[in-house]
Structure formats: C-alpha cells, structure tokens
Amino acid sequence: VGNSSVLTCPHKSNRTMVTWKISPKVGGPCTLGYRTDQNKTDRTNCSDSMNWKSRPDQDPALEIRQVGIAHEGNYICEVVSTEGNFHMMYHLTVLVPPRLTLYCDDHGNPVCEAVAGKPAAQISWVLESIFTPREEGHDNGTVTVVSKFTSYSSNMTNTTCFVSHPAGNQSNSIAC
C-alpha cells in the first residue's frame, strides 16, 4: 500500500492495439486503450492513479501510483499484433503492514496489538505463555489482531511481542 506498481504487457513488434481491462474489487471496471494506426489513447472510468508508464507506442506497461486497497482486482492486458493476439493477466493483492502497539493492561499483563494489517498478522511472544489472539475486521478489509500475555511465573520483568506479516516482521518489548 502506498507504493507504485508497474504491470508489464507482452512486448510484441508490429502492435496494432493495446488494451488494459481493469476489474477492481471496489468500483466499476475501467479500460485504457491505444491504437497504433491513429496514435490515439483512450481511457474509460479509470482513476488518475492508473496510467501508461510511459508512451504506449514505446511501452504498453501500466503504472498504478499510490497503490491502495481499492486497486485490488484483476488486470488484463491484450495486445493485438501482426503475430496474433496476446494476453497477460494479473491479480493484484495489496499488503497493508500492521501498526504494532504494546501496552500493559489494568492487571499488569502485556497486550500486543497488530493494528489494521492486511492480511491478518500473526502474534507470538518470546516466552511461553497462555494467549488466544482475537481478530477484529474493519470495513476497509484490514484486520486488527490483539493478544494478551499471561505468564506461567509471577517474576516476569520484561517480555517481547513478535508480529509476523508478509509486509515485514516487527517486535517490541515491555516491562509491566
């Protein structure tokens, strides 16, 4: 999320037409097209964040700037050339790294939260403990995972929470 993404298209010589057909999970479909014989581009219902990476007569790649969850979906590039018709299909999935929060509850137990990640993060603790993570889904497709650490021994001074996620791992320590 937040980065730019470039989707390539079959690079064929003697192209006559290139069309990107985009079907996002949110919102309606959009298309970007280019006809070589008229040197003309066309766009239908595409947001400003989606455009040709450079000139479509040189490179038919699609660039998505500031990728967000709304960009998730299917992207199909169709190239028509004298060699035939060629298709390339992508399914774009957006990863949202969670925000790690670690605090002590009213009973002195460490609580670790992986806030608003996509997909849901995995939480673990350095030392063995009894914990059952709780997940809370949000309307935008992200998930918050909460885990409370309960120690087997009462002489705990410091504990570390690990958050594992495809967008990157994080850890933090606390003494309650």
Side-chain angles (χ1 to χ4, degrees):
V1 75
N3 293 327
S4 286
S5 184
V6 175
L7 307 179
T8 59
C9 217
H11 211 338
K12 298 294 176 185
S13 58
N14 301 320
R15 285 190 303 264
T16 56
M17 190 165 61
V18 178
T19 307
W20 277 99
K21 295 180 179 178
I22 302 160
S23 302
K25 282 184 180 177
V26 178
C30 92
T31 58
L32 286 176
Y34 172 71
R35 282 186 55 166
T36 307
D37 61 340
Q38 297 177 0
N39 194 23
K40 181 182 172 192
T41 59
D42 183 52
R43 63 187 299 127
T44 307
N45 299 326
C46 293
S47 71
D48 290 341
S49 62
M50 288 187 262
N51 213 337
W52 304 101
K53 179 169 174 26
S54 60
R55 292 180 30 197
D57 60 328
Q58 295 175 352
D59 182 4
L62 174 72
E63 181 176 26
I64 308 166
R65 291 183 311 279
Q66 293 290 311
V67 173
I69 293 173
H71 290 113
E72 282 192 326
N74 293 320
Y75 291 72
I76 299 171
C77 179
E78 297 177 350
V79 175
V80 177
S81 79
T82 55
E83 301 169 45
N85 296 352
F86 302 90
H87 297 80
M88 179 81 76
M89 183 172 153
Y90 296 91
H91 178 75
L92 182 67
T93 300
V94 178
L95 299 177
V96 180
R99 193 175 64 257
L100 172 60
T101 305
L102 183 60
Y103 60 92
C104 301
D105 70 7
D106 296 339
H107 303 291
N109 294 312
V111 177
C112 185
E113 293 183 349
V115 180
K118 183 174 179 307
Q122 300 292 313
I123 295 178
S124 59
W125 299 89
V126 166
L127 299 173
E128 278 193 43
S129 72
I130 304 166
F131 67 93
T132 30
R134 184 180 87 246
E135 292 187 8
E136 175 188 328
H138 305 289
D139 291 343
N140 66 359
T142 62
V143 178
T144 294
V145 180
V146 179
S147 177
K148 185 187 291 191
F149 181 92
T150 307
S151 174
Y152 289 122
S153 71
S154 57
N155 61 358
M156 280 293 300
T157 55
N158 203 24
T159 188
T160 302
C161 163
F162 285 105
V163 173
S164 302
H165 191 269
N169 300 328
Q170 306 170 58
S171 66
N172 202 349
S173 298
I174 196 168
C176 293

